[in-house]
Amino acid sequence: MAFKPTTVIKSTAAAIFTIIAMAAFASASTGLVQSPEQDRYLNQCLGKISSRCAMYATAEMYHHGPLKQNGCCLEIYHMGQICLNIVTRHVIEALVPKLEPTKKQDLIDKATQIWYLCVPV
């Protein structure tokens, strides 16, 4: 079975983003200049989700993963949509700043999709 270049690129991007996200969740000190209040709020948000569920949430951004099956939706619900958005934006801006603006918006949109996947309206 031959791989299409787009499949390989998407898989590589997903793997890189997953590694970056896990690093971000392990430590919020990325060198991004923020106010102490922003750092405190980011750290509070990061403390509301386990690294295991952060990994599943990141994987869910690229394909339908086992997010719901692993009980992570409850953590995302308790984290709250605002914190999910703050953490997503932090990962994008601090760790992949050269990403194209449309790709950044795609990731933000996917975080919103994850919220609605986990928290039925």
Side-chain angles (χ1 to χ4, degrees), residues 1-5 7:
M1 178 174 148
F3 287 105
K4 294 180 182 178
T7 304

Side-chain angles (χ1 to χ4, degrees), residues 25 45-51 53-54 57 72 75-76 79 84 87:
F25 288 117
C45 290
L46 289 170
K48 294 179 182 182
I49 188 168
S50 67
S51 59
C53 286
C72 293
E75 283 190 35
I76 289 174
M79 180 183 200
L84 179 62
V87 170

Side-chain angles (χ1 to χ4, degrees), residues 51-64:
S51 59
R52 180 182 70 84
C53 286
M55 183 179 66
Y56 285 126
T58 303
E60 186 72 35
M61 288 183 165
Y62 288 93
H63 54 80
H64 296 291

Side-chain angles (χ1 to χ4, degrees), residues 21-119:
M22 289 188 323
F25 288 117
S27 171
S29 59
T30 59
L32 185 66
V33 177
Q34 299 185 126
S35 72
E37 182 66 22
Q38 289 171 319
D39 281 341
R40 186 178 62 78
Y41 197 68
L42 176 64
N43 286 330
Q44 286 176 345
C45 290
L46 289 170
K48 294 179 182 182
I49 188 168
S50 67
S51 59
R52 180 182 70 84
C53 286
M55 183 179 66
Y56 285 126
T58 303
E60 186 72 35
M61 288 183 165
Y62 288 93
H63 54 80
H64 296 291
L67 184 68
K68 289 179 92 170
Q69 295 86 346
N70 286 297
C72 293
C73 279
L74 187 59
E75 283 190 35
I76 289 174
Y77 172 76
H78 287 294
M79 180 183 200
Q81 188 174 15
I82 292 172
C83 273
L84 179 62
N85 290 340
I86 287 170
V87 170
T88 301
R89 287 179 190 275
H90 174 75
V91 169
I92 292 167
E93 295 300 326
L95 301 170
V96 270
K98 294 183 181 182
L99 197 61
E100 297 172 22
T102 55
K103 300 288 185 193
K104 289 180 182 182
Q105 188 58 49
D106 286 346
L107 292 174
I108 292 166
D109 292 345
K110 288 179 182 181
T112 302
Q113 291 171 2
I114 288 172
W115 175 256
Y116 287 114
L117 170 76
C118 286
V119 183

